[in-house]
Amino acid sequence: MQFSSLFLSAVLATAVVAKGGNKTSTKAVTDKSLCKEMAALTKIVSLAANTTKLADKTDNNATKIAEIQAKASDASTQLSTMSTNTTLVSTCATIDAAQKTESECKDMKSLQSLVSLAANTTKLSAKTDNNATKMAAITAKAAKAQTKLDAMTSNTTLTDACATIQTAKDAKTGTKAAAASASSAAASASSTATSAGTMLDAKTGLISTIVLVAAGMMML
Ligand SMILES: *[C@@H]1O[C@H](CO)[C@@H](O)[C@H](O)[C@H]1NC(C)=O
Ligand SMILES: *[C@@H]1O[C@H](CO)[C@@H](O)[C@H](O)[C@H]1NC(C)=O
Ligand SMILES: *[C@@H]1O[C@H](CO)[C@@H](O)[C@H](O)[C@H]1NC(C)=O
Ligand SMILES: *[C@@H]1O[C@H](CO)[C@@H](O)[C@H](O)[C@H]1NC(C)=O
Ligand SMILES: *[C@@H]1O[C@H](CO)[C@@H](O)[C@H](O)[C@H]1NC(C)=O
Ligand SMILES: *[C@@H]1O[C@H](CO)[C@@H](O)[C@H](O)[C@H]1NC(C)=O
Ligand SMILES: *[C@@H]1O[C@H](CO)[C@@H](O)[C@H](O)[C@H]1NC(C)=O
């Protein structure tokens, strides 16, 4: 399967990068990069520990399995060394939480796009070439999306965090007016929200409705 081989090369590539460890590198070593490295190492170690997954990802190729197991053995050693640094481990937990929040905010946007699409008959028929089957499928998915969205929206910790992240993005994009009006909301946001907002390198860039809707659908 194409996915398997892509996944495999990604795992092996990260293993190579991870093994580079303290070698001279042009990239600055930051907490973020260390945490990323730890996550990559953890992924290899847990893959090697799961024989079912390992067989699946390698199409049960013994050569590939042995290769991953060898990488995992090195990774495990490096991981234990890194894990002794409790400051780093706790920083990574904070970064992980912030990333999880950002991902949930993106999910909410995707779900909202899907709901909005289904609610707009003009847009819906344009997008589906007026195909009733496709329209019904989207409408059905949108109903599920709405349920999921309602549950997420009821979490004010999450919605506050998303507002903070959005403010940071707006500020970066240069929409100063939006940032200014939202800054008071940001100031009152929770500490989780604040850490999410500051930890994340708020990415700019417009995600098209198509991508959002597709992402929204994949989550259902
Ligand atoms: C690189 O890491 C190895 C073990 O991980 C250590 O023995 C070595 O001293 C380190 N080298 C430098 C230059 O930090
Ligand atoms: C091993 O991986 C499979 C999926 O490939 C997963 O369903 C299973 O829970 C994993 N087992 C363990 C012990 O993590
Ligand atoms: C198993 O993987 C190795 C290394 O990627 C490859 O050279 C070999 O052809 C594979 N064997 C089979 C039976 O696919
Ligand atoms: C532990 O990790 C932190 C954060 O990356 C770093 O500043 C500190 O120097 C590390 N401590 C040791 C003993 O390596
Ligand atoms: C519905 O979508 C059309 C086309 O994308 C747009 O022009 C219109 O403003 C939307 N209507 C509503 C009520 O959002
Ligand atoms: C409408 O969409 C469905 C599902 O994608 C497809 O099977 C069907 O052929 C389409 N109908 C028309 C008239 O294009
Ligand atoms: C609300 O969202 C926050 C941030 O994602 C999360 O830590 C918390 O567990 C959520 N609370 C509930 C009740 O789901």
Side-chain angles (χ1 to χ4, degrees):
M1 223 171 88
Q2 204 173 17
F3 172 76
S4 284
S5 58
L6 274 177
F7 174 87
L8 192 57
S9 14
V11 165
L12 293 177
T14 46
V16 169
V17 171
K19 266 200 86 176
N22 56 11
K23 256 193 339 204
T24 43
S25 162
T26 49
K27 261 193 182 168
V29 174
T30 60
D31 281 351
K32 206 172 165 182
S33 73
L34 288 170
C35 296
K36 210 173 161 185
E37 186 176 344
M38 285 185 84
L41 294 167
T42 304
K43 201 168 171 180
I44 302 162
V45 171
S46 66
L47 171 62
N50 187 331
T51 44
T52 314
K53 205 172 189 172
L54 196 52
D56 185 41
K57 298 291 180 195
T58 57
D59 289 326
N60 216 9
N61 179 317
T63 312
K64 284 180 182 165
I65 290 175
E67 204 178 332
I68 291 175
Q69 281 169 339
K71 303 261 185 214
S73 169
D74 289 347
S76 176
T77 308
Q78 202 182 338
L79 197 54
S80 357
T81 307
M82 293 176 90
S83 300
T84 58
N85 186 335
T86 51
T87 310
L88 178 61
V89 170
S90 120
T91 302
C92 292
T94 308
I95 291 176
D96 280 353
Q99 278 172 343
K100 180 171 166 272
T101 302
E102 191 190 35
S103 152
E104 284 171 336
C105 299
K106 277 188 182 159
D107 288 352
M108 286 178 77
K109 277 190 182 176
S110 305
L111 294 167
Q112 183 57 59
S113 289
L114 186 53
V115 168
S116 303
L117 171 63
N120 186 330
T121 328
T122 315
K123 208 173 183 174
L124 186 59
S125 57
K127 216 153 210 141
T128 56
D129 291 326
N130 212 18
N131 179 319
T133 312
K134 282 182 182 164
M135 286 199 279
I138 292 177
T139 305
K141 290 209 181 237
K144 283 191 187 172
Q146 183 70 67
T147 306
K148 202 163 180 174
L149 189 58
D150 288 345
M152 292 176 97
T153 308
S154 72
N155 184 339
T156 52
T157 308
L158 178 59
T159 53
D160 284 353
C162 294
T164 305
I165 291 169
Q166 190 58 51
T167 304
K169 280 184 185 172
D170 288 347
K172 249 194 174 171
T173 323
T175 52
K176 300 248 163 66
S181 76
S183 71
S184 59
S188 65
S190 72
S191 59
T192 306
T194 308
S195 90
T198 50
M199 277 308 213
L200 294 164
D201 195 4
K203 284 175 215 88
T204 54
L206 297 168
I207 304 168
S208 75
T209 310
I210 294 168
V211 172
L212 279 173
V213 167
M217 286 194 171
M218 283 192 303
M219 286 158 40
L220 298 167

